[in-house]
Structure formats: C-alpha cells, structure tokens
Amino acid sequence: MNINTTKQHLLELENTFKEQEDTLTELDRAIGDGDHGVNMLRGFENLKDKVDDSSMKNLFKSTGMTLMSNIGGASGPLYGFSFVKMAEVVSDDIDHDNLVTLLETFTEAIAKRGKVELNEKTMYDVVARTFEAVKADEKVNLERLQSFADETIDMVATKGRASYYKEASKGYMDPGAQSMVYVLNALIGDER
Ligand code: ADP
Ligand code: MG
C-alpha cells in the first residue's frame, strides 16, 4: 500500500468515526464514561489539518502526534504512542511483510503502554489477534476484525475504567476494541 492510499485510508477514518460516534458512545456509557465516540472523532477530525505526507514515516508520526494530543482519555496515548512507534518501522510501500511488522509493533506498543495482556477486555485483544492472524497469512477483513472485537463481550474487564465494573462488565463489548476494528481496517488496506 503506497503513501497516497494509506493517507486516504487514515483520513477516511474521520467519516467512519462520525458514523460510529453514537455506537462507541453507547458502548462506553455501559462500562465507562461515555466519551469514547467523541474522543475518537476528535482525534481523526484533526488529522486533515495536521497530517504530514512528506514520507510514510512522517505520515505515521504526524498521525500519532495528532491522536496523542486530540483523542484524550486512556485511548489517546495508546493510539498515539502506537503510531509513533510504527513510524520507526514502516516502509515507503507497505507490503505483507511490513504489515506484519507494523502489527507486531502496534501490539507491543499497546502492551507496553497499557501494561495489558490478552483477554483483559481492551483494544489489545483485537490488535493482538489481528497480528497473529495476518502473520499466519490469514485474510483479515472487516468481518473478521469485528469477530475479534465481539470476543470481548464475554470477558471481564481488568484494565481501564471498565475494570471498576468487575463482573458486571461482562455482556458488553469493549469500546476500544470496537474503535480498533476501524483503525486496523484502514491499516490492513489491500491485504484484506
Ligand atoms: P477513558 O477510559 O479514559 O474514558 P476512552 O473511553 O477514550 O478513555 O477509551 C477507553 C478504551 O481504552 C477502553 O475501551 C479500552 O479498550 C482502552 N484501554 C483503557 N485502558 C487500557 C489499558 N491499560 N490497556 C489497553 N487498553 C486500554
Ligand atoms: Mg471513556
């Protein structure tokens, strides 16, 4: 995937998060504070004015910086830091091998920054499962990404605000897992 397509996919997330704002708000209202929809939209709304497309590396770095300073909440630093880390390993043209490297970096960045493991009912569950699937040469389309987010419904949250709900967090999808579906769908691009 070249820089123009990658940039287009990232900028299109503004529309995606406009469409999904209410859904994400509802999810975060159930097991959080109801701001995840507005947080994600604020991050991607700002991207068109802040994006630096002088190189693929700068595209990822400027996306990370924009997300870090505009999303807010717990998810802003997680997404922001991840894009800044991915900027260090991204190629000028993202092929399958580079996508695997990007997803590995994304997964490690969330794990490190969030001190999170698998099955703690967070965005990490989606990125880690996507990394494993793409590494195994499996096609990961939107439907498959959604199935990874759906897996968080039965989990008990042990990280972030949702962890205050303990057992009562069961039965609700994690909002960050849902937003991660769209972010990964944009990154995976041609590979789906
Ligand atoms: P806040 O919880 O501060 O209101 P958001 O609502 O924007 O922030 O984001 C909540 C999402 O952030 C959760 O649904 C979860 O996926 C993710 N999250 C929170 N804490 C962690 C963590 N320690 N590790 C990974 N993801 C986390
Ligand atoms: Mg919230």
Side-chain angles (χ1 to χ4, degrees):
M1 192 159 68
N2 65 25
I3 184 164
N4 288 333
T5 310
T6 309
K7 179 185 165 189
Q8 191 192 331
H9 284 186
L10 290 171
L11 291 179
E12 278 168 7
L13 284 171
E14 177 182 357
N15 268 333
T16 305
F17 284 114
K18 248 179 214 150
E19 284 163 21
Q20 301 299 330
E21 185 186 353
D22 291 349
T23 309
L24 292 172
T25 297
E26 285 306 311
L27 292 176
D28 198 31
R29 207 170 266 156
I31 55 168
D33 56 357
D35 64 353
H36 194 58
V38 71
N39 285 352
M40 293 307 294
L41 180 57
R42 200 171 46 232
F44 283 97
E45 254 176 3
N46 274 281
L47 191 55
K48 57 184 178 299
D49 300 326
K50 309 267 174 59
V51 72
D52 174 355
D53 60 2
S54 56
S55 68
M56 191 71 108
K57 188 184 171 70
N58 288 338
L59 175 64
F60 274 70
K61 196 173 168 199
S62 59
T63 300
M65 301 305 278
T66 306
L67 299 184
M68 207 169 315
S69 48
N70 289 286
I71 295 183
S75 56
L78 291 166
Y79 278 125
F81 178 68
S82 298
F83 272 87
V84 170
K85 294 307 277 180
M86 285 191 280
E88 293 171 11
V89 297
V90 72
S91 312
D92 291 338
D93 210 325
I94 304 171
D95 61 5
H96 177 77
D97 285 352
N98 191 229
L99 180 64
V100 173
T101 303
L102 286 175
L103 292 172
E104 181 172 33
T105 305
F106 202 163
T107 301
E108 283 172 359
I110 302 278
K112 189 172 171 202
R113 191 83 192 203
K115 299 185 173 58
V116 64
E117 292 173 10
L118 212 53
N119 300 323
E120 292 200 274
K121 196 181 181 93
T122 70
M123 56 172 69
Y124 181 76
D125 289 305
V126 178
V127 70
R129 283 173 173 81
T130 303
F131 164 54
E132 291 301 335
V134 173
K135 192 170 71 169
D137 274 339
E138 295 167 18
K139 287 278 172 209
V140 182
N141 57 15
L142 187 60
E143 199 178 21
R144 187 88 194 280
L145 288 168
Q146 189 60 54
S147 77
F148 295 148
D150 290 347
E151 285 189 48
T152 66
I153 295 174
D154 293 332
M155 296 176 190
V156 174
T158 47
K159 282 285 181 313
R161 258 177 226 284
S163 66
Y164 306 150
Y165 292 78
K166 299 199 171 78
E167 279 290 326
S169 66
K170 228 174 157 171
Y172 300 97
M173 170 134 57
D174 176 62
Q178 185 62 62
S179 64
M180 183 61 91
V181 165
Y182 305 119
V183 173
L184 290 175
N185 193 49
L187 277 186
I188 289 173
D190 305 338
E191 288 277 333
R192 59 193 162 220

